[in-house]
């Protein structure tokens, strides 16, 4: 059974940092691209970042580029999102999602993903 379990969310002041993790199990983690997707209150799903199967290719939404870093440890079946210089508009539930293959051709299309975690809440507020 494929499982994706996020952790690391919380309440942080603007300008602060958080590190999200996604523990994967039930599949060959190193064979799949992975992404982070978020959903702000009252809004739809928004793609944040994608990393390919090997971890040597990454992409970011313009809104987070330069502030967020996606990474993966295939030996530990773990996906990570380091978030720095956080802004109130980063407030959202953050999900990790499995791509349907070793790359994600259109990361902004939510049909590109076949499994999702339960999400972790990130709140940026003073």
């Amino acid at each position: 059974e494929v499982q994706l379990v996020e952790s690391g969310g919380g309440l942080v002041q603007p300008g602060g940092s958080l590190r999200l993790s996604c523990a994967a199990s039930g599949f060959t983690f190193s064979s799949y691209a992975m992404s982070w997707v978020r959903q702000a209150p009252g809004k739809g799903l928004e793609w944040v970042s994608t990393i390919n199967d090997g971890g040597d290719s990454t992409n970011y939404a313009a809104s987070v580029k330069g502030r967020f870093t996606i990474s993966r440890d295939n030996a530990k079946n773990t996906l990570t999102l380091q978030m720095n210089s956080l802004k109130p508009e980063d407030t959202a539930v953050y999900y990790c999602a499995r791509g349907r293959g070793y790359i994600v051709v259109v990361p902004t299309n939510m049909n590109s993903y076949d499994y999702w975690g339960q999400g972790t809440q990130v709140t940026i507020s003073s």
Side-chain angles (χ1 to χ4, degrees):
E1 178 189 6
V2 173
Q3 287 195 327
L4 300 171
V5 180
E6 301 94 337
S7 61
L11 172 63
V12 176
Q13 291 187 343
S17 298
L18 274 176
R19 187 177 180 88
L20 304 184
S21 294
C22 172
S25 61
F27 65 103
T28 305
F29 182 69
S30 59
S31 296
Y32 291 86
M34 298 293 297
S35 292
W36 288 98
V37 177
R38 67 187 181 185
Q39 186 167 29
K43 297 190 176 181
L45 294 168
E46 177 191 17
W47 169 72
V48 174
S49 182
T50 296
I51 188 166
N52 71 334
D53 57 339
D56 57 346
S57 178
T58 58
N59 287 293
Y60 298 91
S63 58
V64 307
K65 197 168 187 177
R67 300 188 297 121
F68 290 11
T69 302
I70 190 171
S71 61
R72 65 190 297 161
D73 185 335
N74 285 343
K76 296 182 178 179
N77 292 350
T78 301
L79 176 72
T80 300
L81 185 68
Q82 177 66 44
M83 305 187 297
N84 299 329
S85 302
L86 285 162
K87 305 175 181 180
E89 51 263 43
D90 294 319
T91 295
V93 178
Y94 284 71
Y95 300 93
C96 65
R98 191 183 82 167
R100 293 183 183 273
Y102 64 95
I103 61 170
V104 178
V105 177
V106 186
T108 55
N109 184 341
M110 298 305 143
N111 290 324
S112 297
Y113 309 106
D114 54 5
Y115 287 93
W116 298 74
Q118 82 289 349
T120 186
Q121 177 70 48
V122 171
T123 302
I124 312 303
S125 175
S126 55

